[in-house]
Amino acid sequence: MYAVKSTLPDQELKVVGDALQGALVDLVDLSLVAKQIHWTVVGPRFRTIHLQLDDVVDTARQYSDTVAERASALGVPPDGRVGTVSSHSGIGHVVDGWQQDTDAVATMTAALGKVVERMRERMTAVGKVDPVTEDIFISVTGELEKHHWMFQAEHKQ
């Protein structure tokens, strides 16, 4: 039973709901990964990377809220609980302890690349059934690609 009833037909709602839930999980995990690296990065480029990571955290948190509220508006209860995020995220493991600045940048580049790849898949999946959700995915993907570019540029020596 839905507390909120969507205007989308059930089959289309399933596609959109799954895409929104997957995006929420990846965005919550991205914010946590970026914050973890933010706390543990060391090296000559510490300050630059430290501040750059805060930008990623802000983007991920903003869009996780947008994605979760879109799901709620469609009658799909979003699930951002730690167990759900842990078991469904597409982002790999982050090493324990301190991370050298070059390693931190490589980790964030890989994490952002994976999330962007999955966002593009979701954008394609929802494009024909819900242009409103597609628009959200277009916006978040553009922002994440910008962060991905900046970390790639940081990684080049």
Side-chain angles (χ1 to χ4, degrees):
M1 178 178 155
Y2 291 109
V4 175
K5 178 68 176 134
S6 174
T7 58
L8 290 173
D10 287 344
Q11 189 163 346
E12 292 175 1
L13 181 60
K14 170 97 172 92
V15 169
V16 174
D18 288 349
L20 287 165
Q21 179 58 41
L24 177 61
V25 162
D26 282 351
L27 289 166
V28 168
D29 199 23
L30 182 63
S31 73
L32 295 172
V33 165
K35 203 48 136 166
Q36 180 63 35
I37 296 170
H38 168 91
W39 294 323
T40 60
V41 65
V42 295
R45 294 180 294 163
F46 161 80
R47 180 150 173 77
T48 303
I49 295 166
H50 184 80
L51 295 173
Q52 194 175 355
L53 288 161
D54 271 338
D55 292 341
V56 174
V57 170
D58 290 345
T59 297
R61 286 180 179 169
Q62 172 194 344
Y63 278 104
S64 63
D65 193 52
T66 300
V67 164
E69 288 180 356
R70 177 66 183 153
S72 293
L74 293 174
V76 177
D79 186 354
R81 295 173 300 160
V82 67
T84 302
V85 172
S86 174
S87 63
H88 292 89
S89 174
I91 300 173
H93 175 74
V94 176
V95 298
D96 296 340
W98 303 111
Q99 281 201 58
Q100 187 62 38
D101 53 3
T102 53
D103 296 333
V105 168
T107 299
M108 278 310 299
T109 301
L112 285 160
K114 188 62 176 177
V115 173
V116 165
E117 175 187 318
R118 289 165 55 107
M119 286 297 175
R120 286 191 166 280
E121 290 169 2
R122 294 176 185 114
M123 192 183 333
T124 300
V126 303
K128 293 185 175 153
V129 296
D130 185 23
V132 175
T133 301
E134 179 189 36
D135 188 50
I136 292 169
F137 289 154
I138 289 168
S139 295
V140 69
T141 301
E143 286 297 312
L144 294 177
E145 284 180 331
K146 183 174 88 173
H147 290 300
H148 186 244
W149 155 59
M150 290 182 177
F151 273 100
Q152 287 182 78
E154 182 74 33
H155 193 58
K156 302 300 177 198
Q157 297 188 31

